[in-house]
Amino acid sequence: MKLNLFAPALLSLLAASAPRLCTSFIPQQPHTARPSFAPHLFTTTTTVRKLATPLHLSSSSSEEPRKSSRLGGNARAPTPQEISVMDEMITKLADAKPYELPTAVSQAIRVVSSPQFFMRIAERADRSTNAEEKEKLSALATNLVSTLEAVVSMTEDKMDQKALDVEEVLKAASEPDSGEFLVPLSEERLVAMREKVGAMESSRLDEGFLVTVDQWMNKSMQDGMDGMVGILQKVLQMYASVEIGRARERLQVEVGAAVTGEDEKTVEEALAGKKKTPAAVLFEALLQMDTDEWDAKLKASLGETEEDVSKSALMGEVQRTIEGVVLGLENGSMTQRVQAEFLRELVTRIEKYD
């Protein structure tokens, strides 16, 4: 039996059923096997319908274990890269003043609040032969518990507003006349979603926004709503493209002001009239379009003629953005992981073309 759900009902279901942020303390079920900290922007283990049909919520049972989002998993041993991220965070927090902990924890709460993180602290304390380091790690574990409780309490007070922000974007994905979600989304719906995301200030597109998207994606996967998973992936992609574009503009202004000694407003006006390189123009065009259109755009634009952009020039533009924008974000934060995954996917697409 399948039940049609219109946008208001479906969004209410997701908002009401999504786990609160405090569920970060609860290990995932054994059947969830996916990277702990890897964003889930482009690939899914389920298949989205090829035809534009109304999104359904299936009530039929299935023997196949439900999938869940890859941002919060704790069901397997961490990879060396994930251990490196945790170690860097542990060292940073252990050396931080007590009053600095709330800010640092809130910026990387999905990493810090995972059981794996506390296990890693214990492992390092057990291995250490330095009494002072052992005491420092023990104090960190104790302080983290109280800090997390305070941060989670404050964060959850803000989650209702974040849910409204995500709901606002998702409503733009529904058909205006019927209120249904039709997947794949039409060009009109994608444009409407991007306009909603682009109209939000960066302060609204923060960790809380991404946590809410991830929680709703978890709920959609658990309930077998494959189409909604794809729509939420689009939200993450649009978030990344908008915030990366904004950060590139801010970086250019800051660097220009530092080099010339002019104030940022003057530099911003000068940059507005400056001609951009073909690679920069192409990169910004890719940021502003749907990711499903990347391959066609790259195929038409990359080449060796004067009218084309070279592959190396475009890769250089992406690399400078990774170094100047993504690496400058809080290490281990969800904002960094989502933006990094977005650019890694773009690099993968570019590398396909010789």
Side-chain angles (χ1 to χ4, degrees), residues 13-33:
L13 171 67
L14 289 172
S17 304
R20 304 293 285 178
L21 187 58
C22 58
T23 56
S24 301
F25 294 103
I26 304 173
Q28 300 293 320
Q29 296 301 316
H31 62 69
T32 58

Side-chain angles (χ1 to χ4, degrees), residues 124-327:
R124 286 182 53 169
D126 288 342
R127 291 203 314 264
S128 177
T129 57
N130 186 297
E132 183 179 348
E133 184 180 0
K134 281 180 176 287
E135 183 178 350
K136 183 185 290 188
L137 291 171
S138 175
L140 172 61
T142 301
N143 291 336
L144 274 181
V145 172
S146 57
T147 302
L148 279 168
E149 289 176 351
V151 170
V152 167
S153 177
M154 290 186 295
T155 303
E156 288 187 342
D157 291 339
K158 301 177 182 179
M159 291 306 288
D160 288 341
Q161 179 57 50
K162 298 305 176 183
L164 292 176
D165 288 340
V166 177
E167 183 176 333
E168 183 179 337
V169 178
L170 290 183
K171 281 183 177 178
S174 65
E175 295 298 313
D177 297 333
S178 64
E180 292 179 317
F181 293 98
L182 301 181
V183 290
L185 296 174
S186 66
E187 179 64 24
E188 291 75 17
R189 302 276 55 80
L190 291 170
V191 170
M193 289 176 67
R194 176 171 285 277
E195 288 177 351
K196 288 292 183 183
V197 175
M200 293 182 178
E201 297 180 356
S202 294
S203 59
R204 292 171 66 183
L205 299 173
D206 58 4
E207 291 281 300
F209 180 88
L210 297 177
V211 167
T212 302
V213 175
D214 182 49
Q215 290 175 342
W216 289 22
M217 190 181 293
N218 267 322
K219 179 60 179 174
S220 299
M221 288 180 174
Q222 291 164 7
D223 289 347
M225 295 189 291
D226 301 348
M228 181 53 69
V229 173
I231 295 173
L232 289 166
Q233 284 181 318
K234 290 296 182 186
V235 176
L236 290 178
Q237 294 167 14
M238 292 175 184
Y239 152 81
S241 65
V242 167
E243 283 302 287
I244 289 171
R246 289 173 176 174
R248 276 172 53 85
E249 292 177 359
R250 288 195 300 269
L251 182 63
Q252 289 171 357
V253 171
E254 291 170 0
V255 171
V259 171
T260 63
E262 303 282 351
D263 62 86
E264 292 189 356
K265 184 176 181 181
T266 302
V267 173
E268 188 174 357
E269 292 174 351
L271 288 173
K274 184 178 179 181
K275 185 177 180 180
K276 298 179 180 180
T277 66
V281 172
L282 175 57
F283 182 39
E284 291 174 5
L286 292 167
L287 288 179
Q288 294 168 10
M289 66 175 54
D290 183 61
T291 57
D292 290 342
E293 299 176 358
W294 278 356
D295 288 338
K297 181 66 174 178
L298 290 170
K299 184 177 181 180
S301 303
L302 292 181
E304 300 299 332
T305 67
E306 292 184 1
E307 293 78 15
D308 294 331
V309 176
S310 70
K311 176 180 173 180
S312 60
L314 181 58
M315 287 289 280
E317 197 71 34
V318 177
Q319 184 62 35
R320 285 190 292 273
T321 301
I322 293 174
E323 295 172 355
V325 174
V326 178
L327 295 184

